[in-house]
Amino acid sequence: AQKITQTQPGMFVQEKEAVTLDCTYDTSDPSYGLFWYKQPSSGEMIFLIYQGSYDQQNATEGRYSLNFQKARKSANLVISASQLGDSAMYFCAMREGTQGAQKLVFGQGTRLTINP
Amino acid sequence: NAGVTQTPKFRVLKTGQSMTLLCAQDMNHEYMYWYRQDPGMGLRLIHYSVGEGTTAKGEVPDGYNVSRLKKQNFLLGLESAAPSQTSVYFCASSYGYGRDTEAFFGQGTRLTVV
């Protein structure tokens, strides 16, 4: 079963608009972590934001925020005031598992294109 | 500060050849991971390690072997390469259980099997 689901293969957004990238996850562990990474065309993986399963507040990092809805098992990334440089692949990831057996798994990604 | 270093960056193999990819990290991380990324796809976990001397299978382990003899190194081996193993391989590392910080990635190894 897919642990991380990103249902939007591609998104097209006008510059300066806000954009939400969807991510749903599946786990039975009470303790887990959720991550978003950006992969520009150059190929490197850039960490954006993290949300722990016990965190009471939604994570924010500059223009990035994570809309964490635990009951729905969703962890959507919100990018405010999008910029041309935001065009990239975006991956949602989850770390789950017990001590000594944790692994980090990724979704299939969303390709975001920012139009001028 | 080196972070996570993968060797080599590019490689072309003939079907049936073997090779080893090296991942080295200098952050004293407990966890290390090997992923493959096919064109237009996400990262799929091949094998991972939660500490020196340990390894575990991920989502797509067949055709690969790994070893973690030293904490800072995680080796990925292909015993008999197949064209289906043409991919970009990423190594990553992170702190262990109880320190839920992000994973740091290497720059990737582009492997072509002909």
Side-chain angles (χ1 to χ4, degrees):
Chain A
Q2 193 75 11
K3 289 284 190 177
I4 296 283
T5 303
Q6 295 181 252
T7 57
Q8 306 152 311
M11 289 275 289
F12 295 86
V13 174
Q14 287 298 120
E15 190 179 8
K16 300 181 183 177
E17 289 184 352
V19 57
T20 297
L21 304 181
D22 294 341
C23 173
T24 58
Y25 59 92
D26 181 26
T27 183
S28 57
D29 289 332
S31 177
Y32 52 90
L34 297 158
F35 304 81
W36 277 92
Y37 282 84
K38 173 183 178 180
Q39 186 180 44
S41 58
S42 52
E44 71 268 33
M45 295 292 288
I46 302 169
F47 166 73
L48 296 178
I49 196 166
Y50 161 77
Q51 180 85 42
S53 59
Y54 293 121
D55 292 344
Q56 295 296 312
Q57 293 187 326
N58 288 342
T60 61
E61 287 286 350
R63 293 186 300 113
Y64 304 107
S65 61
L66 201 152
N67 184 2
F68 182 45
Q69 298 190 38
K70 195 170 182 177
R72 293 187 175 184
K73 294 188 176 179
S74 74
N76 299 340
L77 176 70
V78 180
I79 306 174
S80 63
S82 58
Q83 303 171 355
L84 295 179
D86 293 333
S87 292
M89 283 289 287
Y90 288 80
F91 293 101
C92 180
M94 176 175 65
R95 179 179 294 142
E96 61 161 357
T98 57
Q99 186 174 2
Q102 282 194 322
K103 56 185 177 181
L104 180 66
V105 293
F106 283 76
Q108 291 192 305
T110 295
R111 182 172 298 281
L112 176 64
T113 302
I114 307 299
N115 295 316
Chain B
N1 50 354
V4 180
T5 303
Q6 292 183 229
T7 309
K9 301 278 191 295
F10 303 92
R11 185 72 186 268
V12 178
L13 281 181
K14 292 183 179 179
T15 298
Q17 286 185 321
S18 63
M19 78 163 294
T20 300
L21 281 67
L22 171 63
C23 177
Q25 53 94 3
D26 61 2
M27 296 171 281
N28 201 34
H29 284 165
E30 290 292 331
Y31 292 177
M32 296 187 75
Y33 312 87
W34 274 109
Y35 296 90
R36 62 176 288 173
Q37 184 179 28
D38 299 316
M41 302 287 287
L43 279 71
R44 292 186 292 171
L45 183 63
I46 305 171
H47 286 280
Y48 63 105
S49 169
V50 297
E52 181 179 313
T54 75
T55 62
K57 293 181 180 179
E59 302 165 290
V60 289
D62 293 342
Y64 305 95
N65 56 75
V66 288
S67 64
R68 183 108 181 260
L69 299 180
K70 293 183 178 181
K71 186 177 184 179
Q72 64 267 33
N73 295 337
F74 195 28
L75 279 65
L76 177 71
L78 286 73
E79 290 186 348
S80 179
S84 60
Q85 294 178 303
T86 294
S87 190
V88 178
Y89 291 83
F90 285 98
C91 175
S93 70
S94 68
Y95 286 111
Y97 189 81
R99 295 187 63 180
D100 212 358
T101 59
E102 73 270 27
F104 293 80
F105 280 80
Q107 291 298 304
T109 295
R110 186 172 297 274
L111 175 66
T112 302
V113 183
V114 297

